[in-house]
C-alpha cells in the first residue's frame, strides 16, 4: 500500500545521501520486495515495483557489490516484464549504472538497445534518449550491433521518434565521429538490414533469434532504402565512390563468383 511505497521511496532517497550507510536489513528488505515477473501486475503492485526498482538502483550506485549482484537481475527483468512503466524505470536505472560501472553494463548494451524496438512508443523514445546520452558522453562506444540497432530507429513508425533519431545520429553523433560514422558502416548495413548472415565477416554479432527478428528490415524494402539514402546523404563524394567500389566487390562480385 501507500506506506510501503513511501518507505521504499525514502530508502532510495537515503541511499543518495553522501556518507549515509544504509542498514543491511533495509537493503535486504528492498531486494526482497523486488519481484522479477513475466506476468501482468495490478496497478498498486506495479507502482510498488516501480519504486522498488528505482530504490534498488540508487542503492547500487552507492554499493558496488550490490550493483554486481543486481545487474543481471535488472537486465533480465528489462527483457521479461510486460509492463512499459517498469521497462522505463529499468532503463533509467541501467543507464545510471552504466555511468557509474561502465564495464559492468557496457557488455549488455545490445539488450538495452533492444528497447529501441519496444512495442511501446514511450519506451522506445526513452531508450533513444538514454543511449544517445551515453554515446555522447562516451560511456558507451559504437561496438557490436549497436550502430545497426540505432539505424532502425531512423525509420521508426512513430514520426516523433524517427525525427529525433535522425537528428541525434546525423546532426550530433555522426559529426562527433569526424563525419566517418555513416560511411564506415554503410556496406555492412546492407547485410544487417537484410538479415543476411552468410558473409564471412559482416553481420556476425552474437544475437538471439528473437533479437535478430526484432531488428530485421528484411521484409521492408522502403525502410531499407530510406536508411541507405540517409547514410549516403552524409557521405562525401569520395566516401560514396569508396562505398560503391566496396558494394561492387563485396556483393556484386561475390554473387558473380558464387560466394553469396
Amino acid at each position: 500500500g501507500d506506506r510501503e511505497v513511501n518507505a521504499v521511496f525514502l530508502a532510495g532517497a537515503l541511499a543518495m545521501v553522501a556518507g549515509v550507510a544504509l542498514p543491511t536489513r533495509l537493503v535486504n528488505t528492498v531486494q526482497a520486495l523486488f519481484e522479477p515477473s513475466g506476468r501482468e501486475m495490478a496497478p498498486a503492485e506495479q507502482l510498488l515495483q516501480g519504486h522498488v526498482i528505482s530504490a534498488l538502483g540508487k542503492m547500487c550506485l552507492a554499493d558496488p557489490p550490490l550493483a554486481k549482484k543486481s545487474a543481471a537481475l535488472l537486465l533480465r527483468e528489462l527483457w521479461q516484464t510486460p509492463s512499459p512503466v517498469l521497462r522505463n524505470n529499468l532503463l533509467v536505472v541501467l543507464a545510471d549504472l552504466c555511468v557509474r560501472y561502465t564495464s559492468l553494463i557496457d557488455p549488455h548494451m545490445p539488450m538495452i538497445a533492444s528497447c529501441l524496438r519496444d512495442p511501446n512508443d514511450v519506451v522506445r523514445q526513452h531508450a533513444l534518449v538514454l543511449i544517445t546520452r551515453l554515446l555522447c558522453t562516451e560511456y558507451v562506444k559504437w561496438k557490436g550491433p549497436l550502430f545497426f540497432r540505432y539505424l532502425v530507429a531512423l525509420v521508426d513508425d512513430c514520426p516523433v521518434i524517427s525525427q529525433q533519431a535522425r537528428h541525434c545520429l546525423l546532426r550530433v553523433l555522426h559529426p562527433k565521429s569526424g563525419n566517418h560514422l555513416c560511411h564506415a558502416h554503410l556496406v555492412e548495413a546492407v547485410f544487417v538490414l537484410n538479415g543476411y548472415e552468410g558473409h564471412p565477416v559482416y553481420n556476425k554479432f552474437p544475437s538471439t533469434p528473437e533479437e535478430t527478428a526484432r531488428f530485421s528490415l528484411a521484409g521492408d524494402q522502403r525502410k531499407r532504402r530510406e536508411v541507405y539514402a540517409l547514410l549516403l546523404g552524409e557521405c562525401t563524394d569520395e566516401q560514396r565512390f569508396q562505398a560503391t567500389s566496396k558494394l561492387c566487390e563485396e556483393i556484386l562480385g561475390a554473387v558473380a563468383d558464387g560466394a553469396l
Side-chain angles (χ1 to χ4, degrees):
D2 289 345
R3 288 179 62 187
E4 283 180 309
V5 168
N6 291 338
V8 170
F9 175 80
L10 183 59
L14 285 171
M16 299 301 290
V17 178
V20 173
L22 295 182
T24 304
R25 185 178 175 186
L26 178 58
V27 176
N28 291 343
T29 300
V30 172
Q31 285 182 273
L33 285 170
F34 179 47
E35 295 182 13
S37 167
R39 60 180 175 80
E40 294 288 348
M41 294 181 176
E45 189 181 4
Q46 181 176 270
L47 177 64
L48 176 60
Q49 284 301 303
H51 280 282
V52 167
I53 288 166
S54 179
L56 184 58
K58 290 171 183 174
M59 290 174 176
C60 287
L61 291 174
D63 186 342
L66 180 64
K68 194 170 184 180
K69 179 181 175 183
S70 304
L73 203 62
L74 294 167
L75 285 157
R76 187 162 61 246
E77 185 67 359
L78 179 68
W79 187 257
Q80 292 181 346
T81 179
S83 165
V85 174
L86 297 187
R87 290 199 298 275
N88 251 329
N89 286 23
L90 287 158
L91 274 172
V92 174
V93 167
L94 289 165
D96 286 345
L97 291 179
C98 190
V99 172
R100 183 65 61 88
Y101 312 109
T102 306
S103 61
L104 181 65
I105 303 299
D106 184 55
H108 303 287
M109 277 309 298
M111 184 180 287
I112 295 171
S114 70
C115 291
L116 291 169
R117 289 289 269 179
D118 193 276
N120 184 276
D121 289 3
V122 175
V123 175
R124 292 202 306 280
Q125 187 172 18
H126 205 177
L128 179 67
V129 169
L130 291 171
I131 291 169
T132 300
R133 189 181 302 158
L134 290 170
L135 286 163
C136 284
T137 50
E138 299 189 2
Y139 286 107
V140 166
K141 307 288 187 186
W142 288 112
K143 292 189 297 190
L146 184 57
F147 179 79
F148 306 103
R149 301 292 184 250
Y150 206 105
L151 282 185
V152 175
L154 301 181
V155 287
D156 193 281
D157 290 330
C158 172
V160 173
I161 296 173
S162 63
Q163 288 303 317
Q164 189 173 1
R166 292 176 190 201
H167 174 79
C168 291
L169 182 65
L170 306 179
R171 299 293 161 259
V172 180
L173 295 165
H174 177 61
K176 185 176 170 62
S177 75
N179 295 321
H180 291 297
L181 190 59
C182 293
H183 167 251
H185 294 88
L186 178 59
V187 175
E188 186 164 13
V190 175
F191 289 89
V192 176
L193 297 181
N194 280 280
Y196 184 80
E197 298 177 339
H199 192 276
V201 177
Y202 295 141
N203 199 18
K204 292 298 182 185
F205 313 110
S207 176
T208 64
E210 186 179 0
E211 191 181 357
T212 301
R214 182 181 279 204
F215 282 92
S216 174
L217 293 180
D220 199 324
Q221 186 183 50
R222 181 189 64 79
K223 284 188 175 181
R224 293 199 309 274
R225 290 179 64 136
E226 205 170 332
V227 171
Y228 302 149
L230 288 166
L231 294 181
L232 283 167
E234 300 303 315
C235 294
T236 63
D237 289 343
E238 183 184 353
Q239 288 173 336
R240 287 181 194 142
F241 179 79
Q242 291 170 353
T244 302
S245 174
K246 199 152 191 179
L247 285 167
C248 290
E249 178 188 342
E250 296 286 358
I251 298 178
L252 300 181
V255 169
D257 294 340
L260 288 184

